[in-house]
Amino acid sequence: MDAFKGKFERTSAEKYEDFLKALDVNMLLRKAATVSTPTVEISEEGGVWTIKTSTTLKSMELKFKLGEEFEETTADGRQVSAVVTFEDGKIITVQKAKKDGQKSTKSIREMNGADELVYTI
């Protein structure tokens, strides 16, 4: 997991707006999300991992221990139970929606070389 430590900037976002639409994110938030250029910083201290995502409008910080379930409020406001694992060289995040009618998600972070983080939702 040490390869994931560092700071990354989004350089592309293929089909991101379609994904946000599928989550029922309103148009204003979708537009703000697609025009922003977030930076992601991943760090670890004492077995606790932190993924900090920052834009000019908002910053979010996610703290977790691998394999331990935790409660999270997503950037789009969904309340979820989440688990982050490390499998086959990838960070896998599964978010299970707590409310009926809201979507659950699975995302994968993987390194492409030494300095490119690929985030697939």
Side-chain angles (χ1 to χ4, degrees):
M1 286 259 317
D2 283 345
F4 288 88
K5 292 179 183 176
K7 199 171 192 175
F8 307 92
E9 186 174 301
R10 182 171 73 192
T11 57
S12 68
E14 296 170 25
K15 298 187 179 185
Y16 186 45
E17 186 167 2
D18 293 339
F19 168 74
L20 296 174
K21 236 184 235 185
L23 289 177
D24 295 323
V25 174
N26 73 53
M27 187 177 73
L28 185 60
L29 287 177
R30 282 197 318 264
K31 293 301 177 193
T34 55
V35 300
S36 67
T37 306
T39 57
V40 175
E41 187 167 1
I42 301 176
S43 60
E44 179 267 339
E45 186 174 324
V48 177
W49 286 86
T50 302
I51 299 177
K52 183 178 181 180
T53 305
S54 303
T55 68
T56 54
L57 299 173
K58 187 176 189 175
S59 290
M60 295 193 67
E61 191 170 86
L62 182 63
K63 288 184 178 271
F64 59 90
K65 288 187 175 184
L66 290 174
E68 291 186 13
E69 186 172 274
F70 60 96
E71 306 304 309
E72 178 187 3
T73 301
T74 64
D76 62 319
R78 290 174 297 125
Q79 299 291 318
V80 299
S81 293
V83 176
V84 180
T85 56
F86 188 67
E87 303 169 27
D88 299 321
K90 301 172 184 177
I91 299 174
I92 311 292
T93 304
V94 176
Q95 298 172 321
K96 293 183 182 176
K98 292 179 152 191
K99 285 186 179 178
D100 287 340
Q102 290 188 334
K103 307 273 192 312
S104 296
T105 61
K106 178 180 179 180
S107 63
I108 301 168
R109 289 177 174 90
E110 57 190 307
M111 295 303 295
N112 183 24
D115 60 356
E116 181 182 20
L117 175 67
V118 177
Y119 183 42
T120 306
I121 304 173

